[in-house]
Amino acid sequence: MKSSILTKLFVLSLGTLGFHVQAQVQQDSLTNKLVSLNEVVVEGEDRSDPVFSMVESEHAKKVVQPKNVADLFKDINGFALIKRGNYAIDPSFRASQYEQLNVQFNGGTKVMHACPNRMDPITTHVIPEEIERIEVVKGPYTFRYGATFGGLINLVTHDVEKGEKGYHGRVEFGDETNGNSITSLVNLKLVEDKYDVNANFGYRNFGNYEDGNGVEVPSSFKSTDYGLQMGYNLGKKQRLQMEFRQSFGRDVLHAGLPMDTEEDNSTVLSLDYKWQDLGGILSTLRSKVYYSGVDHIMTNELRPSFMMTEAVSNVDADTFGGRLELEWKPVADLKLFTGMDALSIGREGERVRLVKMNMAGNPLLVPIEFIDDVWQDSKIEDYGLFVEGQYPVTDKLLLKGGVRYDLALSESRDPDEDFAALYPELDSRTENNISATASLKYGIAKNLLVEFAYGRGVRSANMIERFINHFNVGQDPFEHVGNPFLEAEVNNQFEVGVKGKVDFEGPFVDQLRYGASTYYSIYENYIAPLIDESLQRKYMPMAQPQAVKRFVNLEDAYKTGFEVFGEIQFLDHFNFKSEVAHVYTKNKDLDEALPLTPPLVTRFNLGFEREKIWARGTYTLTSEQADIADSFGEQVTAGYGVLDLRFGAKPFKHVNLGVAAINVFDKAYNNHLNFAFVNQADFGRVPINDPGRNLSFFVQYSF
């Protein structure tokens, strides 16, 4: 982006404070007749919400200066973050991650990463300040939005059409001390009866942060994003909406990956249409088509290995998709959803290596160039058909069920010679997957609900697991080799839960809210990379480790866990909330835990809120993680506690202010899911510490 444009962006920041959020929520009434396109979950509607679903929408009070969208999951019970630095952050939920989670935004749009090391996950391609709410279905309990294995995550941007009529906007600016980092956003919108327009322009510049020991972690990055959304209401029952956004990452340092990002460019285009209240048996028609493209350039120019070998990788990913859904009401109270969807992912690219020294460290008179095919010009397509229904048997009992069929096609159109030799029968492949779910909700009392669910979620192997060829794509330093003949992995998940509330009329306690759920998942054909003694290291054959991992199906694996929360509202303006989340996994084939299993986490939140002022203190206690996957190079991670303090105020009608102190006691710690330093001059292969104390300030002006 030109410097003049960036200069115009230097305006005011991060937090849409709680009062602005509350105003939005009040307008998002279920009695609103506007046609809404983006929801998967309608919060608080027990007869419409998928079983075991939740909505988080107070990000301004929970997150200060989110590096990317993944930071919004930081304080959501059951979630953990997989960090490779400050930029490439992935959410993990109940020890499911990557393509095990169906992550999308606005009800179906997907952005697939181009980098095999996930330097560019979907969370880097949408502005965090754009996200109004996060909708989560905690398991394979709905299949209307694609094949779902471990859970569905829908990132919903602001519903502009529900805003006040006229011309509005906001400018935001944020600054934080640890890394001397800034965020900024300009938002302009016009809302009329027939049409609405929404435009965003954001810039983020994060420096290297220091951990609690004062050690500087290479993690800086810059990103520039803009987006345009236009909607047109075809009467009171129909809406057409177009979204276009681009994101540009520059000079991104990845402490936990072997290379850094020089450029990361993405484009997302989507078109949505909805026609509701058709009359008769057919109630609603919904459709979506979208395209996303990611161009990614990474180098090792700033790494120690550059002296011996220069490496540049230029890779790209193209994703096409769409869905068509019909909602039926064949009889009173019965809702039936039928539909189809499609997803096509294509990746290609190469790594160019210029070897300047031999293994003895002596310079070569003439450097030798090698070209390595990263993706082998691979393609994966998925075509799905689904049927889901829900029926209230009584006023207290609601039954839901659904079935999904997926036709999965995969192909490597330009395989390397050694990969073709390893798999002589390599050809295009077709898989047929069946997923199913059944659940019920039972209202024991007015404010007490019990939920039971079973889901069979099926996920075909992703492109890395199928077609990667001797690249390091994991937490450990092993080369990995894909397996195009992997069986689809299956999650048979059983879950039971309860949630409720109690209102009090006394002078001290106003309300008690509580909930708990426990689950057990039996995995079939779980996909994991294991050492294959028949394979030899391909690149730098004398380097350690010389063993190679190949993706295989495990025969016997499972996970189990629970989440519990309780919240008390007292003295009109105070609240105290406690949450606990724990997951236990087992790979019986190797008698160890599954990789990337997060430790037990307990949170304590004390809050105060009035019309023009709010405050919150959060103490997060993370336990030691001793249940580890030795075969993945995992180590026991010590427990730790971190205190965060946040304060916000609305001193004037259009101005919101906020300050925060994150990691108040400057604790030096690393989460179990953090990657280790790789190819860094001043660090051995030890886990990356999280940031130390960080003081943050943000201001927002809206009009």
Side-chain angles (χ1 to χ4, degrees):
M1 281 294 159
K2 297 181 180 179
S3 58
S4 61
I5 297 178
L6 298 182
T7 301
K8 294 178 183 178
L9 266 180
F10 190 76
V11 277
L12 308 151
S13 143
L14 184 270
T16 309
L17 288 176
F19 322 108
H20 180 71
V21 172
Q22 288 177 353
Q24 293 276 3
V25 171
Q26 290 174 1
Q27 292 176 8
D28 288 356
S29 168
L30 292 175
T31 62
N32 198 318
K33 297 301 183 182
L34 293 172
V35 182
S36 183
L37 298 175
N38 299 334
E39 298 122 335
V40 171
V41 178
V42 181
E43 184 179 13
E45 286 294 290
D46 289 336
R47 292 197 176 192
S48 301
D49 297 352
V51 71
F52 293 108
S53 60
M54 65 178 179
V55 174
E56 292 286 330
S57 58
E58 291 186 321
H59 308 311
K61 296 184 180 181
K62 295 184 178 181
V63 181
V64 175
Q65 264 63 282
K67 282 70 177 175
N68 65 25
V69 171
D71 258 357
L72 302 178
F73 296 90
K74 180 180 178 182
D75 293 328
I76 302 179
N77 204 28
F79 278 89
L81 299 181
I82 302 172
K83 291 186 178 181
R84 306 162 183 86
N86 242 4
Y87 187 79
I89 306 174
D90 273 300
S92 170
F93 181 66
R94 294 179 171 179
S96 292
Q97 53 275 324
Y98 308 148
E99 278 82 356
Q100 291 180 332
L101 296 175
N102 184 359
V103 183
Q104 54 190 247
F105 63 88
N106 288 343
T109 303
K110 291 192 174 186
V111 184
M112 305 305 295
H113 58 95
C115 172
N117 277 302
R118 299 185 69 90
M119 293 179 179
D120 52 347
I122 185 175
T123 51
T124 64
H125 302 298
V126 60
I127 305 173
E129 289 84 0
E130 278 192 85
I131 303 301
E132 181 180 49
R133 52 197 252 148
I134 295 175
E135 302 177 333
V136 179
V137 180
K138 299 181 179 181
Y141 306 137
T142 182
F143 301 112
R144 293 168 53 197
Y145 298 90
T148 300
F149 176 84
L152 169 66
I153 300 172
N154 184 38
L155 307 169
V156 183
T157 58
H158 288 274
D159 288 327
V160 180
E161 71 273 17
K162 294 182 179 180
E164 296 180 6
K165 297 295 187 291
Y167 176 75
H168 304 281
R170 71 184 194 272
V171 290
E172 305 178 354
F173 172 77
D175 179 65
E176 59 183 48
T177 60
N178 195 343
N180 192 26
S181 305
I182 64 170
T183 65
S184 59
L185 176 74
V186 178
N187 171 250
L188 300 173
K189 55 188 174 185
L190 175 64
V191 182
E192 299 291 347
D193 290 331
K194 278 286 187 180
Y195 65 91
D196 47 82
V197 181
N198 183 50
N200 292 294
F201 209 107
Y203 175 70
R204 325 173 76 75
N205 188 337
F206 280 77
N208 295 338
Y209 69 78
E210 292 185 354
D211 66 15
N213 293 325
V215 177
E216 183 175 313
V217 177
S219 53
S220 62
F221 70 89
K222 303 180 184 74
S223 68
T224 305
D225 305 78
Y226 73 90
L228 178 66
Q229 175 185 304
M230 296 183 291
Y232 187 78
N233 300 315
L234 305 167
K236 296 182 179 180
K237 298 182 179 181
Q238 301 179 65
R239 178 171 174 82
L240 184 67
Q241 181 172 294
M242 183 276 291
E243 289 186 79
F244 176 80
R245 55 170 42 88
Q246 289 190 308
S247 178
F248 307 94
R250 293 294 184 270
D251 305 324
V252 184
L253 302 185
H254 303 282
L257 296 175
M259 303 175 78
D260 297 311
T261 297
E262 183 176 301
E263 292 186 19
D264 184 62
N265 308 312
S266 68
T267 299
V268 183
L269 176 65
S270 65
L271 185 65
D272 290 83
Y273 172 75
K274 182 176 179 179
W275 187 0
Q276 64 184 22
D277 300 329
L278 277 77
I281 295 178
L282 180 58
S283 171
T284 305
L285 181 150
R286 303 175 181 88
S287 65
K288 172 192 283 285
V289 291
Y290 67 89
Y291 162 78
S292 64
V294 180
D295 298 316
H296 186 84
I297 302 174
M298 46 190 164
T299 76
N300 70 336
E301 183 177 354
L302 303 179
R303 303 302 184 93
S305 61
F306 185 77
M307 295 179 62
M308 178 175 287
T309 304
E310 294 183 23
V312 178
S313 293
N314 194 334
V315 292
D316 61 74
D318 291 304
T319 304
F320 297 86
R323 64 187 303 268
L324 174 66
E325 179 182 77
L326 302 176
E327 180 180 340
W328 308 82
K329 290 186 178 180
V331 298
D333 297 327
L334 173 63
K335 280 188 177 182
L336 189 65
F337 303 91
T338 64
M340 62 183 70
D341 52 50
L343 173 65
S344 175
I345 306 167
R347 293 187 178 103
E348 58 184 1
E350 59 188 23
R351 178 180 64 185
V352 179
R353 292 180 294 131
L354 189 66
V355 179
K356 299 181 290 186
M357 291 185 180
N358 59 27
M359 294 303 296
N362 299 317
L364 298 176
L365 294 177
V366 179
I368 304 174
E369 183 181 82
F370 296 91
I371 299 178
D372 312 316
D373 197 336
V374 176
W375 289 114
Q376 305 186 92
D377 194 12
S378 299
K379 187 175 183 179
I380 292 178
E381 296 178 341
D382 186 286
Y383 301 94
L385 300 172
F386 62 86
V387 177
E388 281 195 25
Q390 57 184 50
Y391 182 72
V393 179
T394 67
D395 291 339
K396 295 183 177 182
L397 179 63
L398 177 68
L399 297 180
K400 294 188 176 185
V403 178
R404 178 181 175 89
Y405 165 74
D406 284 280
L407 174 67
L409 308 175
S410 58
E411 181 182 11
S412 174
R413 292 169 288 190
D414 185 21
D416 288 347
E417 291 183 6
D418 61 331
F419 196 80
L422 182 62
Y423 300 106
E425 298 180 359
L426 181 64
D427 200 353
S428 59
R429 183 183 174 200
T430 301
E431 300 171 77
N432 299 281
N433 302 329
I434 301 292
S435 303
T437 183
S439 62
L440 64 86
K441 294 185 178 185
Y442 182 68
I444 297 177
K446 179 181 179 181
N447 294 320
L448 181 59
L449 181 70
V450 176
E451 298 174 295
F452 301 89
Y454 163 74
R456 182 183 192 270
V458 183
R459 179 188 76 89
S460 289
N462 64 33
M463 200 171 289
I464 291 176
E465 295 160 340
R466 293 177 191 267
F467 299 124
I468 203 68
N469 190 27
H470 288 274
F471 280 84
N472 181 349
V473 294
Q475 283 182 297
D476 53 41
F478 291 91
E479 286 187 351
H480 287 64
V481 174
N483 183 350
F485 300 109
L486 288 167
E487 295 296 327
E489 62 181 7
V490 180
N491 175 20
N492 296 285
Q493 184 165 316
F494 303 84
E495 188 161 359
V496 58
V498 60
K499 57 184 177 183
K501 67 177 182 178
V502 180
D503 295 316
F504 297 92
E505 298 181 356
F508 183 74
V509 179
D510 304 315
Q511 187 182 81
L512 168 66
R513 296 177 61 249
Y514 58 91
S517 62
T518 182
Y519 55 90
Y520 187 87
S521 288
I522 302 172
Y523 290 133
E524 302 173 29
N525 303 320
Y526 192 89
I527 299 172
L530 300 182
I531 291 177
D532 189 328
E533 300 292 347
S534 68
L535 299 178
Q536 296 181 346
R537 190 180 181 97
K538 180 177 180 179
Y539 303 115
M540 300 180 64
M542 302 304 295
Q544 295 294 332
Q546 294 193 344
V548 175
K549 286 188 173 182
R550 191 200 314 221
F551 286 96
V552 298
N553 290 115
L554 301 178
E555 295 183 2
D556 202 350
Y558 70 90
K559 75 174 178 182
T560 184
F562 64 86
E563 288 116 31
V564 179
F565 83 91
E567 181 178 10
I568 297 176
Q569 298 179 7
F570 60 99
L571 294 179
D572 294 331
H573 305 294
F574 291 87
N575 63 82
F576 176 77
K577 185 176 183 179
S578 179
E579 299 174 309
V580 182
H582 178 59
V583 57
Y584 175 83
T585 65
K586 191 70 172 181
N587 171 4
K588 289 188 174 181
D589 291 41
L590 298 180
D591 193 26
E592 63 181 24
L594 293 172
L596 296 173
T597 299
L600 183 147
V601 176
T602 305
R603 291 186 184 89
F604 302 96
N605 292 280
L606 178 62
F608 170 81
E609 184 172 344
R610 299 201 66 170
E611 182 181 359
K612 294 187 177 182
I613 191 171
W614 63 265
R616 174 172 296 174
T618 302
Y619 183 71
T620 303
L621 183 62
T622 302
S623 300
E624 175 189 77
Q625 180 56 291
D627 293 321
I628 60 175
D630 289 312
S631 63
F632 287 80
E634 291 189 338
Q635 302 175 4
V636 174
T637 306
Y640 56 89
V642 176
L643 176 65
D644 301 332
L645 300 176
R646 297 172 172 86
F647 171 82
K650 188 174 183 179
F652 309 106
K653 181 178 180 180
H654 299 290
V655 177
N656 288 318
L657 302 175
V659 294
I662 307 302
N663 191 1
V664 172
F665 298 116
D666 205 18
K667 179 73 174 179
Y669 70 96
N670 69 274
N671 190 276
H672 183 67
L673 272 58
N674 288 9
F675 273 44
F677 290 99
V678 178
N679 196 18
Q680 298 286 347
D682 301 320
F683 300 94
R685 200 173 185 99
V686 296
I688 302 168
N689 276 350
D690 282 87
R693 184 185 297 115
N694 187 21
L695 303 180
S696 175
F697 167 79
F698 62 90
V699 58
Q700 176 198 80
Y701 175 76
S702 58
F703 56 91

